[in-house]
Amino acid sequence: QVRLVESGGGLVQPGGSLRLSCVASGNIFSIYHMGWHRQAPGKQREYVASITTKGETDYAGSVKERFTISRDNAKNTVYLQMNSLRPEDTAVYYCYGDVVSATGRRDGYWGQGTQVTVSS
């Protein structure tokens, strides 16, 4: 069984920074793409950023130049450094991983989410 657990959310003032972490654990052989989505109240879940095993990154236009995604393959961990936060970044942030288990099965997994609130 594979599990993804996020941490690092919280309350921050506009213009502030937060760093989210997501650790994957369990019966893992390898992880391909890892990334982040978010869901604001009353809105659909939206893509934020993703990263390949080689470190190639991609960002939604709304967070480009402000957010940085990175990963530590040895620790099965993905990070999201969020700078210059705005009230519209307020959302529950979910990480995901494209995981190959030790049995050879490949599936996508999601974390439970971590709340980020940007408010003065």
Side-chain angles (χ1 to χ4, degrees), residues 56-78:
E56 298 158 326
T57 59
D58 183 69
Y59 298 92
S62 59
V63 307
K64 227 169 188 177
E65 308 299 331
R66 300 188 298 123
F67 290 9
T68 302
I69 188 171
S70 60
R71 66 188 285 176
D72 185 331
N73 292 329
K75 295 181 179 179
N76 289 334
T77 300
V78 62

Side-chain angles (χ1 to χ4, degrees), residues 43-60:
K43 295 187 177 181
Q44 290 188 329
R45 190 175 296 192
E46 64 174 4
Y47 169 80
V48 175
S50 64
I51 186 168
T52 68
T53 50
K54 295 181 180 180
E56 298 158 326
T57 59
D58 183 69
Y59 298 92

Side-chain angles (χ1 to χ4, degrees), residues 30-112:
S30 65
I31 306 177
Y32 293 111
H33 281 75
M34 298 187 81
W36 297 88
H37 281 59
R38 67 186 181 186
Q39 187 166 18
K43 295 187 177 181
Q44 290 188 329
R45 190 175 296 192
E46 64 174 4
Y47 169 80
V48 175
S50 64
I51 186 168
T52 68
T53 50
K54 295 181 180 180
E56 298 158 326
T57 59
D58 183 69
Y59 298 92
S62 59
V63 307
K64 227 169 188 177
E65 308 299 331
R66 300 188 298 123
F67 290 9
T68 302
I69 188 171
S70 60
R71 66 188 285 176
D72 185 331
N73 292 329
K75 295 181 179 179
N76 289 334
T77 300
V78 62
Y79 305 96
L80 187 67
Q81 177 66 44
M82 306 185 293
N83 299 329
S84 302
L85 282 161
R86 305 167 180 168
E88 53 264 39
D89 294 317
T90 295
V92 177
Y93 283 70
Y94 299 89
C95 76
Y96 72 87
D98 182 9
V99 179
V100 178
S101 71
T103 64
R105 180 177 173 131
R106 182 174 178 176
D107 284 301
Y109 293 88
W110 291 88
Q112 82 289 349

Side-chain angles (χ1 to χ4, degrees), residues 5-33:
V5 178
E6 302 99 334
S7 62
L11 173 64
V12 63
Q13 292 187 342
S17 298
L18 280 176
R19 189 192 194 210
L20 305 183
S21 300
C22 174
V23 181
S25 62
N27 194 21
I28 298 171
F29 175 72
S30 65
I31 306 177
Y32 293 111
H33 281 75

